[in-house]
Amino acid sequence: MSAGRDIILGRVRKALGRGPLPPEKQLKLRSRLAHPKRNLVPQRGDLAGPELVGLFVTMARKADAEVERLSDWSQVPNAVRQYLDRNHLPLNINLAPEPLLQALDWDGFQVWRDLPRREDKVAVTGCFAAAAETGTLVVTSGPEHATSLNLLPDHHLVVLPASRIRGSYEDTWDMLRLAYPDAPPRTVLWITGPSRTGDIEQTLQLGAHGPLRLQILLIDDLDDA
Amino acid sequence: MRVTSPGFKANAGRALTDPQLQKALKRLKGGFQVARLKAAEQLPEFEALRDQAREIKDFTLAHLDFYLELFEERVGFAGGKVHWAANASAAREIVLDICREAGAKKILKGKSMVTEEIGLNDHLEAHGLQVIETDLGEYIIQLRKEPPSHIIAPAIHVSKDQVSEDFRKHHTDLEPKRPLEEPRELLDEARQILREHFLTADVGITGANFLVAASGSSVIVTNEGNGDLTQTLAKTHIVVASIEKVVPTMEDCATLLRVLSRSATGQELSVYTTFSTGPRRAGDPDGPVDYHVVLLDNGRTQLLGNEFREVLRCIRCGSCMNSCPVYGAVGGHAYGWVYPGPIGAVLTPALVGVEKAWHLPSASSFCGKCEEVCPVRIPLPKLMRHWRERAFEAGKAPATQRFGLKIWSLFARRPGLYRLATRLASRLLRMLGRKRGSLSKLPLAGGWTSERDLPVPPGPTFSDLYHRRKS
Amino acid sequence: MPTKPEVGLFVTCLIDFFRPSAAFAAVQLLQDAGCSVTVPKAQTCCGQPAFNSGDSGDARAVARTVLKTFAPFQYVVVPSASCAGMIRHFPELFKDTEHAETAVSLAARTHELTGFLVDVLGVTSVRADFPHAAAYHDSCSALREMGIRDQPRQLLRSVTGLQLCELSDAETCCGFGGTFCVKYPEISGKMAAAKTRDITESGANTLVGPDMGCLLNMAGRLSRENSHIQVRHIAEVLAGQTAAPPIAGPETE
């Protein structure tokens, strides 16, 4: 195995016409990683407050996500109930074990708090952040958020506080590095709309292997943020 | 995988007369190409981002050893393991060993061109493992035992009727009366079948669109969600990626992502962009317990050191084939191996040998559209021309062509002789076809006249007329 | 008083052989724009057929004639974007040879005809009559190699009576591609057929373009399809020299 390593690195250096980089050059390259430099970031996301939230909503809808705006967390269960009613679904949800979600009043729901099972149709989760430039949700794995929750159930309902919306991908990486200084979580998943495929005669269809629908419950918490 | 590239001409001939394929190719033009243009128009910085994307790739390639070692180190910090495979067979063995060690029976795969390149599925199946492709397009062509015909839309050549037939043939539990014609019905059937596989897989294998050195993360970009289910639900996740996929930082990756989806499908961003770092952490309810990355060379280091280095910038978006009139005429299978279109015309000779694949870089009108749309600005026509140089040196060009060039060169470097020869040729053509203005047949010009008439000069050459007039 | 721009006209082998009227028209357009035009006798081909076939040796041998013949001129003007583009490749072809410097300098002084008229000389209109619906074909070399898109259109719009038609798929190759069209005739034919369909649907009765190779291909295809659409080099229309029968057209008595 290490033979392969030596062969490849040797070939790379031969192709580049040099030996291993000198230590001082390596040090310089490493120091750049500690403070990663941003490349050109599109101006599109260079907004704040309601404009930034507006851009997120526009872009998320463009990617076929549905966005519903709520004034605070306590409205979440009712919004979920209405969504289920609209879609003729029973009040069974798979709820991510996040404290803010768990603390809500889920009276009248059948709530499953473990990994999704074959029969689970609806997942309700939070999310770490969002990038307005493309209406993208940033979801992280961890004890409070199984990755399969984002993928297995047919309906994914995501609760997103407006205060977690940033303009660009780079902004969300800055947030992530603050929250996880040593290493990113196992999975950082960017979600932009519900899953889709065009593999049969290039006919676009929503709902391939992931969710058929992506419903974003956007909490307007900008004032108290 | 069998290489049929030497038979490009025959392959292309068949493709041109295949009405079903021609219908599919027509759709391509209105689809991806138009969508890409729209997406580019909607982002004012798109052209500048392409420049930066190119610079990021060039910089990384110039320090490739450093970033590969760093990537290995960071994967190790996160609890994963990096394996180095100098060639295809080493990569196949490494993957097989990991599968065996995991006691695996069922292997699921996310879409990966590099595993097509190394013929991984056949190898694993030959050793008794069940391998299931999970991308819908890949799943369809796996059932049909066909290679992909497009790097991001592998089943683009297949009609829905054919898919329906394939499903009825292979899904033996299917109710004969159940309707299975429309794309939605077909998708639902595949979703249901693959869902069961996702939940019972032992190993999930994916490729990588990028490897981020700073964090030791592998990145996949998908729309269906199959890649994520593949790598989340199995106990072991194996990433197979070629060495040029590495980029320094998440910031660099962000820049490349901004040009990737827009160039590929015209989406602002694909539905799922997944950054995977190591195996699941303590307390994580799901995710793989083991995480392996197989770094593959298989000829890349050779390209790094010769006139083809720029092809290593490729991020496999497929925009070159979407815009290529030759691909648009003959489709992907005519190219006869894994990578079709302009990128295939440059990569294939490097990976299977120019003696087998010389037709591919030769069959281009050098219209330059591929270079125009390439997100990392690979000068594809120039690189194809370099392959033509190598093929010419190797004596691969047909004898008639070599002979023709010699005769032409003999005259073209002697202006006096050239004038005499063109004067005679012009007279001859006019004798044959001046009245009509064109010829529909001419000995030795069948390549021209099989498709079009040959215009006849209306009079003597310009050189004769002009200098006669002047004197 | 500024001196006249000294132009060496590189006729190109295809125009020399198939379309003398286009070269005469080019001479006139350049003279009308105030240039002193020389047509060197010692010219043949730019070397592109060999260059694109991977035969650098023969390409260099032929290209050396071009270097030698045209080095003295202030400008080299070519009524063909593809051959002008080939001269722009000379620096690559002569890299690390004794001609490297000449090649770089010649490449920088070489222009396609309509680009030269508009971008270098500042010509904005021509004096010509052509009462026809004409479509302009963007040859790939003009469009992508030489940056020629608006220049010929601007000049065509100034032609009295000319109605400019746009092709719906203007930026797609016609299938000529030099030796490509005879090496892979069926693929080339498929591309040419798509192009002639587009031309026919544009409503034009005349097709003009800046590259003789593409024009021969499309004229030959249109002739095979018994189309009534006439094909001419753009220089003929811009110079008002349209007495010659169209390309592949029958002799007029």
Side-chain angles (χ1 to χ4, degrees):
Chain A
M1 220 105 344
S2 68
R5 184 180 197 280
D6 293 345
I7 292 169
I8 293 175
L9 290 173
R11 284 176 184 166
V12 169
R13 286 170 188 143
K14 190 172 160 234
L16 296 172
R18 58 163 173 76
L21 288 174
E24 58 281 14
K25 174 82 186 168
Q26 293 202 31
L27 222 62
K28 208 174 132 200
L29 289 176
R30 269 178 190 263
S31 72
R32 292 169 51 148
L33 300 174
H35 309 282
K37 195 179 82 328
R38 288 186 177 198
N39 304 302
L40 174 69
V41 175
Q43 271 196 345
R44 182 194 280 179
D46 206 359
L47 300 167
E51 280 85 8
L52 181 66
V53 176
L55 175 66
F56 171 81
V57 172
T58 305
M59 297 311 291
R61 285 185 177 146
K62 203 176 150 194
D64 303 298
E66 294 152 70
V67 185
E68 186 177 348
R69 301 185 72 151
L70 308 177
S71 58
D72 63 65
W73 279 85
S74 67
Q75 294 185 332
V76 168
N78 197 37
V80 173
R81 183 192 309 270
Q82 286 173 358
Y83 177 88
L84 297 179
D85 286 348
R86 274 201 305 278
N87 291 286
H88 314 290
L89 291 163
L91 295 187
N92 297 347
I93 59 166
N94 198 319
L95 191 67
E98 299 174 37
L100 277 170
L101 289 175
Q102 298 285 345
L104 298 171
D105 179 9
W106 295 103
D107 205 25
F109 286 85
Q110 275 204 25
V111 181
W112 177 257
R113 292 181 166 82
D114 209 334
L115 284 175
R117 301 155 298 182
R118 280 176 175 74
E119 63 270 27
D120 290 336
K121 293 280 175 254
V122 180
V124 180
T125 75
C127 83
F128 178 79
E133 63 170 300
T134 47
T136 300
L137 300 170
V138 178
V139 177
T140 51
S141 63
E144 295 166 6
H145 197 143
T147 297
S148 52
L149 272 181
N150 311 317
L151 301 162
L152 277 176
D154 292 350
H155 303 260
H156 188 194
L157 284 71
V158 184
V159 184
L160 168 70
S163 59
R164 305 296 290 177
I165 298 174
R166 296 293 181 273
S168 66
Y169 308 140
E170 285 83 347
D171 292 342
T172 70
W173 281 117
D174 286 347
M175 283 171 89
L176 212 94
R177 288 191 193 101
L178 270 178
Y180 301 86
D182 299 329
R186 147 69 198 176
T187 302
V188 178
L189 177 59
W190 291 0
I191 303 175
T192 312
S195 79
R196 68 199 60 197
T197 183
D199 273 350
I200 299 174
E201 295 196 347
Q202 294 185 69
T203 321
L204 178 73
Q205 295 176 85
L206 299 184
H209 297 296
L212 308 160
R213 304 268 296 269
L214 178 67
Q215 177 88 5
I216 299 169
L217 305 176
L218 178 61
I219 308 214
D220 284 319
D221 65 341
L222 283 189
D223 290 337
D224 38 273
Chain B
M1 202 186 123
R2 211 163 65 86
V3 183
T4 67
S5 306
F8 174 81
K9 272 195 139 177
N11 298 348
R14 270 195 305 279
L16 285 164
T17 51
D18 178 346
Q20 209 283 108
L21 174 68
Q22 291 300 325
K23 217 169 109 191
L25 290 170
K26 217 177 234 162
R27 276 194 291 267
L28 187 68
K29 210 166 166 64
F32 290 147
Q33 238 193 102
V34 173
R36 177 203 167 270
L37 207 62
K38 265 196 205 152
E41 277 167 5
Q42 280 163 12
L43 189 67
E45 294 92 345
F46 189 67
E47 294 304 312
L49 285 166
R50 287 173 66 188
D51 291 336
Q52 284 201 339
R54 173 184 57 191
E55 285 158 22
I56 290 165
K57 282 297 223 177
D58 281 344
F59 182 84
T60 315
L61 289 169
H63 304 90
L64 189 58
D65 50 341
F66 172 82
Y67 287 111
L68 288 172
E69 286 191 289
L70 182 74
F71 176 75
E72 180 187 40
E73 175 193 300
R74 300 293 155 102
V75 170
F77 288 171
K81 185 161 172 43
V82 167
H83 310 258
W84 303 72
N87 52 40
S89 73
R92 291 191 296 259
E93 287 312 316
I94 291 167
V95 173
L96 180 64
D97 282 348
I98 299 170
C99 291
R100 278 181 171 158
E101 209 150 295
K105 290 192 182 70
K106 185 187 277 189
I107 318 292
L108 256 61
K109 284 189 67 211
K111 195 178 129 33
S112 145
M113 291 307 293
V114 78
T115 58
E116 299 275 355
E117 174 187 325
I118 63 173
L120 183 64
N121 291 12
D122 287 349
H123 187 71
L124 297 179
E125 282 168 357
H127 289 83
L129 297 170
Q130 184 187 9
V131 183
I132 298 151
E133 293 286 350
T134 63
D135 171 84
L136 180 58
E138 287 284 343
Y139 179 70
I140 291 167
I141 61 168
Q142 188 186 26
L143 294 182
R144 301 172 62 79
K145 300 196 191 322
E146 284 177 355
S149 70
H150 188 288
I151 65 170
I152 67 161
I156 202 160
H157 58 286
V158 186
S159 73
K160 59 183 184 185
D161 296 344
Q162 290 172 314
V163 178
S164 175
E165 237 170 78
D166 294 328
F167 282 4
R168 288 207 189 276
K169 193 164 117 201
H170 289 92
H171 299 172
T172 42
D173 294 346
L174 241 167
E175 284 241 9
K177 272 182 273 171
R178 192 175 129 199
L180 200 60
E181 272 89 49
E182 289 314 304
R184 182 76 243 173
E185 294 158 357
L186 295 163
L187 172 59
D188 285 341
E189 167 65 11
R191 178 180 165 98
Q192 195 182 324
I193 294 277
L194 285 166
R195 176 81 25 148
E196 216 36 53
H197 288 310
F198 285 126
L199 293 165
T200 52
D202 302 308
V203 170
I205 299 177
T206 67
N209 291 86
F210 307 100
L211 304 170
V212 182
S215 57
S217 312
S218 57
V219 185
I220 58 169
V221 179
T222 66
N223 273 318
E224 295 184 4
N226 64 305
D228 292 281
L229 286 165
T230 297
Q231 64 162 336
T232 301
L233 299 180
K235 202 176 129 282
T236 303
H237 176 200
I238 306 174
V239 178
V240 184
S242 48
I243 52 175
E244 81 279 14
K245 296 284 173 193
V246 70
V247 295
T249 63
M250 288 296 186
E251 277 67 13
D252 294 328
C253 191
T255 301
L256 290 159
L257 287 166
R258 286 192 180 102
V259 295
L260 174 60
S261 303
R262 290 182 171 95
S263 301
T265 56
Q267 287 167 283
E268 297 265 351
L269 190 67
S270 298
V271 175
Y272 301 110
T273 305
T274 315
F275 304 81
S276 307
T277 314
R280 73 160 81 166
R281 310 289 155 77
D284 280 2
D286 60 8
V289 179
D290 297 305
Y291 174 75
H292 301 267
V293 182
V294 182
L295 292 175
L296 176 75
D297 178 352
N298 206 31
R300 268 72 175 176
T301 47
Q302 243 180 350
L303 295 170
L304 187 66
N306 63 26
E307 68 268 41
F308 299 101
R309 183 193 288 193
E310 289 174 285
V311 78
L312 296 176
R313 287 204 294 263
C314 178
I315 55 174
R316 304 285 190 272
C317 69
S319 65
C320 61
M321 56 201 76
N322 294 341
S323 63
C324 174
V326 174
Y327 180 95
V330 301
H333 284 164
Y335 292 79
W337 196 56
V338 175
Y339 302 101
I343 187 65
V346 176
L347 274 179
T348 311
L351 296 173
V352 310
V354 72
E355 65 286 349
K356 281 189 189 156
W358 64 272
H359 266 302
L360 276 47
S362 181
S364 162
S365 67
F366 281 173
C367 81
K369 229 177 176 183
C370 49
E371 181 175 358
E372 185 181 69
V373 298
C374 174
V376 286
R377 303 195 193 278
I378 300 171
L380 289 154
K382 185 177 100 177
L383 300 186
M384 284 185 239
R385 188 159 44 69
H386 286 327
W387 278 122
R388 293 185 188 184
E389 285 162 10
R390 295 239 182 156
F392 191 84
E393 282 159 25
K396 273 293 144 195
T400 47
Q401 190 193 338
R402 302 175 75 84
F403 180 71
L405 277 172
K406 277 289 159 225
I407 298 282
W408 163 85
S409 152
L410 189 82
F411 288 97
R413 49 182 131 161
R414 293 173 183 81
L417 194 61
Y418 181 86
R419 270 198 304 280
L420 189 70
T422 49
R423 185 178 301 150
L424 293 175
S426 170
R427 224 175 265 169
L428 181 71
L429 276 190
R430 277 179 281 143
M431 256 166 53
L432 294 170
R434 184 171 182 177
K435 274 233 138 34
R436 216 196 118 205
S438 65
L439 297 167
S440 56
K441 253 196 192 128
L442 186 70
L444 299 176
W448 182 278
T449 55
S450 65
E451 299 294 327
R452 39 188 123 48
D453 292 347
L454 179 68
V456 165
T461 66
F462 172 75
S463 172
D464 275 356
L465 292 170
Y466 185 81
H467 295 290
R468 202 185 301 156
R469 216 180 271 187
K470 286 207 87 173
S471 57
Chain C
M1 191 108 174
T3 52
K4 281 183 161 189
E6 296 276 347
V7 170
L9 183 74
F10 181 40
V11 176
T12 78
C13 55
L14 291 182
I15 288 186
D16 179 60
F17 189 81
F18 285 103
R19 204 62 189 164
S21 51
F24 282 112
V27 172
Q28 189 201 310
L29 283 167
L30 289 165
Q31 283 173 343
D32 286 354
C35 298
S36 150
V37 182
T38 309
V39 185
K41 210 168 177 185
Q43 54 174 305
T44 61
C45 167
C46 60
Q48 189 170 198
F51 185 65
N52 282 351
S53 300
D55 178 4
S56 314
D58 280 317
R60 257 191 298 274
V62 172
R64 256 199 302 274
T65 319
V66 182
L67 269 191
K68 220 165 70 193
T69 306
F70 286 92
F73 295 98
Q74 187 187 358
Y75 297 107
V76 182
V77 175
V78 194
S80 153
S82 141
C83 312
M86 178 62 208
I87 297 177
R88 294 268 176 100
H89 284 302
F90 280 8
E92 185 192 339
L93 187 63
F94 288 102
K95 206 176 144 206
D96 302 325
T97 71
E98 51 176 325
H99 303 292
E101 236 173 273
T102 324
V104 170
S105 139
L106 189 76
R109 287 179 280 134
T110 298
H111 301 270
E112 181 276 337
L113 175 68
T114 62
F116 181 72
L117 291 172
V118 173
D119 298 336
V120 179
L121 300 179
V123 174
T124 54
S125 64
V126 294
R127 290 162 55 115
D129 251 318
F130 193 69
H132 293 279
Y136 171 76
H137 168 69
D138 288 279
S139 72
C140 300
S141 311
L143 188 65
R144 284 181 274 267
E145 210 165 7
M146 303 299 289
I148 307 291
R149 184 204 305 255
D150 299 332
Q151 301 92 324
R153 288 182 169 82
Q154 184 187 349
L155 297 179
L156 284 170
R157 278 195 203 97
S158 74
V159 173
T160 311
L162 187 146
Q163 181 205 335
L164 188 60
C165 305
E166 284 295 334
L167 302 185
S168 70
D169 205 8
E171 301 198 353
T172 296
C173 177
C174 71
F176 173 64
T179 54
F180 166 79
C181 71
V182 287
K183 283 189 297 183
Y184 301 95
E186 295 91 353
I187 302 174
S188 164
K190 169 106 185 161
M191 291 158 69
K195 187 56 82 177
T196 52
R197 199 177 316 123
D198 197 5
I199 296 165
T200 307
E201 283 166 9
S202 77
N205 65 13
T206 304
L207 176 75
V208 297
D211 266 279
M212 205 54 210
C214 314
L215 294 174
L216 288 170
N217 177 46
M218 291 180 289
R221 185 81 193 191
L222 286 165
S223 162
R224 177 66 50 93
E225 294 166 355
N226 295 316
S227 167
H228 65 279
I229 295 171
Q230 306 198 343
V231 181
R232 292 183 182 278
H233 190 281
I234 186 172
E236 301 166 38
V237 171
L238 294 179
Q241 294 192 12
T242 50
I247 301 167
E251 209 171 34
T252 43
E253 289 306 325

